[in-house]
Amino acid sequence: MWMTATPEPAVELKGIVKRFPGVVANRDVCLKVQRGHVHAVVGENGAGKSTLMKILYGMQRPDEGEIRINGAPVTFRSPSDAIAAGIGMVHQHFMLADNFTVLENVILGSEPRQAGTVIDFSAARKRIREISDAYGLGVNPDSLVESLGVGDRQRVEILKVLYRGAKILILDEPTAVLVPQEVEELFASLRGLVREGHTVLFISHKLDEVLSVADEITVIRRGTTVETVNPGQTTARRLAELMVGSELPVPELRESTVTDVVALAVEGLTVRTPEGRPIVDDVSFEIRKGEVLGIAGVEGNGQAELVEAIMGIRPAAGTIRLSDTDITGWTTRRRRVSGVGHIPEDRHRHGLLLEAPLWENRILGHQTEKPNAKGPWIDRSGARKDTARIVDEYDVRTPGIDVHASALSGGNQQKLIVGREMSGDPVVLIASHPTRGVDVGAQAAIWDHLRAARARGLAVLLISADLDELIGMSDTLKVICGGRIVRAVDPHNVTPEELGSAMTGAGGEA
Amino acid sequence: MISRFNVRSAALTLVAPVLAIVLAVGITTVVLLVSGDEPLETFGYMVDYGFQPRTMVLTLNLATTYYFSALAVAIGFRMNLFNIGVDGQYRLAALIAAAVGGAVTLPAPLHVTLTVLVAVLVGACWAGLAGLLKATRGVSEVISTIMLNVIATGLGAWLLHTDRLAVAVSGSNNIGTKPIGPSGQVPGLHLIAGTEVKVYGFVVVAALAGIGFHFMLNSTRFGFDLRATGRSESAAVASGVNVKKMIVGTMVLSGAVAGLVGMPQLLGASYSYSLDFPTGLGFTGIAIALLGRNNPLGIAFGALLWSFLTNSASILDVHQISKEIVIIMQGVIVLSVVVAYELVRRYRKSAEQRRVGQELAATAEPVKG
Ligand SMILES: Nc1ncnc2c1ncn2[C@@H]1O[C@H](COP(=O)(O)OP(=O)(O)OP(=O)(O)O)[C@@H](O)[C@H]1O
Ligand SMILES: [Mg+2]
């Protein structure tokens, strides 16, 4: 594979080794990326993909190995060295300041100066327009980031990187938060970039996408590169086998377990912004025991606020009933104690204490429940034992339960949260993107756990950007748009494409 | 393997403060040289004097007071609350407690309990005000506690007047609260031989408070919520913590401990709150909490060190060396300890990675456990 005689790869990594306490994140990694290629990196959770990209971007220093950019060996001490060498990175979690405009966000840190003092806004605005037009990014420099959807935000991130002169772009799981239409738009932009001579490196767990957009695919397994393949000569199934040695999972619910008993009923739920604009607008639904209700929608259409209202984190008008009890006025804790589990969409902000050990993270959200607490006391040994169980049952790859959550790879953090929220037999589970960022193997395991719990009578509210997951795992499916439930869709008779257009309000009857 | 880990990491934890002290001694040496004093001689005087039995008792006594103050600050710190108001809280608490204690006569244990209870309550209420302001109005606790300090000073001056809580102290033009009778006094302890001066009985209470602090943080649900909120407020809210209640609760607790700051002195030595009651202990507490990393054991060492420096400096006057040298030293210790902790943290991380790397070098699989 390495023998093909192409001149000077844009990026060449040789023998990269990176160790963390208890794990070797990268071991003897070799990777060649040709200039003008879209090069995908795939691998299971904790395989070392993010670590490798952070090394290339100067955020982490390799313990051993060599990096060559356009043939010349380099040593990066910080991201600014990497930026100077023409490398840019878009992280999975966007790093834009909400209440600034696109223009301000883009120039933050590299402000163009007029005569060395005043910020030259008009020059910056002009360049942003140029870049945006050149690659079809469709970014308006003067809109407020707050008002943008995820797809737009991502393009702003890309633009920001290009603005700094990057010729090599690294995108870490750029599609995890996007719905199919947005993914298509992103890929169109990437193709535009590549035509202009840029090089793109990207990480994804969605193998179909990888096959459709990449020129070359490198598989990482347990920290080391196992193979680089050509998408024309492989299949998603073969990739999955290379990654984890298992087959591609299919989200599907076998027989219906839906009962007549209503577990969660929401009526006329309305959440308003401080200005009084409704973000969740008169939403009503019921979820019965053993039922999975899927909510489809482009991100930013009120899903996050709906979840927060149900969890009691955000004030809302309307009524929420758990079984027969009106819980509208209850605190978050009381709701949780009564059996409402919550997998939050932003695991770093809402799901974890990053600088605390795993076993303390097991307690989070279940501070008052067995096996974490005995009366007003924390039951340390009970919590530790149960953490070990979760690590085992959910295959969380970690050197131990005393490491900090920040040391786990994104997907393994997710597995820990899912395991925690499924513990203690919840009555209702509010699951926002339960498999976001987890590899195909772990996805199958999480779906299995969900199915089993559903068979035992769990009611699930499922929110996901992964339409296959939504269609396959939902008994009932509703579409949310602009904060309102706009229609119901039959999950047994809908294709992802139809659902996708229903979500944007474009398509006809699904 | 785990235990070896811990011994190692405990040793590393000690490196930072030691490094800071070495640096402080170094800088002080330079200052002494510049001002024309002999550094070795100066430190020699201090150590000599500092380890005399009488000075050791004084050191222990002052450290007891510092300990409560730093503990009060640390409680807030663990939740990212900056209680700058410990100073006002303890002064007001001591004044009112002294007045109440002086006004009654009760059987011994009850009398002491009442006085201490009043102090704790006053401290808790005064700090609780700042907590309430933050929880209901979003007022930064930094600002409100600074304001409350000023108000406490004014209120204290007004209350400590012969028309109100104070009486003239016989044989001076000082005024103070009516002295607390024998039944309300806490007897001292003969802990150190070779001196008649006794250690405050309150040293026992301080030790208990330290243990209680550790226990509260690590073994109670309240402590868990407190630490969780300190680490990530958004995650704590999602987990069901009522952050507003926690803010008020933590400030109240911090203020309650702050209320104890004046007690060793009041119940063990002066028995009355007068114009010359020590001030500024709340600010010392902030420095010591930083020095001790908000850890009860660390704070104990920090308080002892701080107190040792303050007390042993008394001898410098005798030798015509400026006492302020110790203040420079204390300042440098606090600044450099912050830097030193960061250096040790980085060293520890890379050392651990190297060690793990060596252990794993032979194995081909990423190792668990
Ligand atoms: N800062 C860190 N400290 C300690 N260990 C770390 C750190 N960052 C990553 N690791 C470990 O290195 C390994 C590789 O992690 P990395 O984040 O690169 O995985 P990944 O391939 O990106 O996985 P995912 O698909 O789940 O995001 C994991 O075992 C992880 O626990
Ligand atoms: Mg990753």
Side-chain angles (χ1 to χ4, degrees), chain A residues 18-24 27 63 222 313 332-333 336 342 349-353 355-356 360 363-365 367-368 373 375-378 395-400, chain B residues 2 215 218-222 224-225 227-229 231-242 349 352-354 356-358 360 363-369:
Chain A
K18 177 72 186 175
R19 304 178 191 102
F20 288 114
V23 271
V24 184
R27 178 204 334 263
D63 297 327
R222 309 221 151 188
I313 299 169
T332 305
R333 172 148 299 165
R336 277 184 155 281
H342 178 205
R349 272 172 57 78
H350 296 125
L352 294 169
L353 301 172
E355 297 309 318
E360 288 195 4
I363 298 176
L364 190 73
Q367 285 99 315
T368 56
W377 315 115
I378 291 288
D395 189 27
V396 180
R397 306 275 168 88
T398 168
Chain B
I2 291 297
F215 193 68
N218 295 296
S219 308
T220 68
R221 274 165 31 190
F222 177 82
F224 184 91
D225 286 355
R227 285 183 298 135
T229 315
R231 277 168 172 151
S232 164
E233 190 174 322
S234 54
V237 170
S239 85
V241 174
N242 183 335
K349 214 169 144 185
E352 214 161 70
Q353 280 170 20
R354 247 177 290 129
V356 169
Q358 280 159 10
L360 295 183
T363 34
E365 292 285 75
V367 171
K368 293 189 175 195

Side-chain angles (χ1 to χ4, degrees), chain B residues 17-30:
Chain B
V18 169
L19 220 64
I21 294 167
V22 170
L23 193 66
V25 169
I27 290 182
T28 319
T29 303
V30 175

Side-chain angles (χ1 to χ4, degrees), chain A residues 18-26 43-54 60 92 172-173 203 205 220 223 347 397-399 403-413 415 437-439, chain B residues 349 353 366:
Chain A
K18 177 72 186 175
R19 304 178 191 102
F20 288 114
V23 271
V24 184
N26 288 147
E44 65 178 335
N45 294 129
K49 307 176 295 290
S50 298
T51 305
L52 189 64
M53 295 304 130
K54 285 180 188 160
Q60 274 174 351
Q92 186 185 344
D172 193 349
E173 297 193 30
I203 298 178
H205 287 295
I220 297 192
R347 54 183 169 246
R397 306 275 168 88
T398 168
V403 302
H404 285 187
S406 60
L408 258 53
S409 80
N412 282 305
Q413 292 171 344
K415 291 189 232 168
V438 307
D439 63 47
Chain B
K349 214 169 144 185
Q353 280 170 20

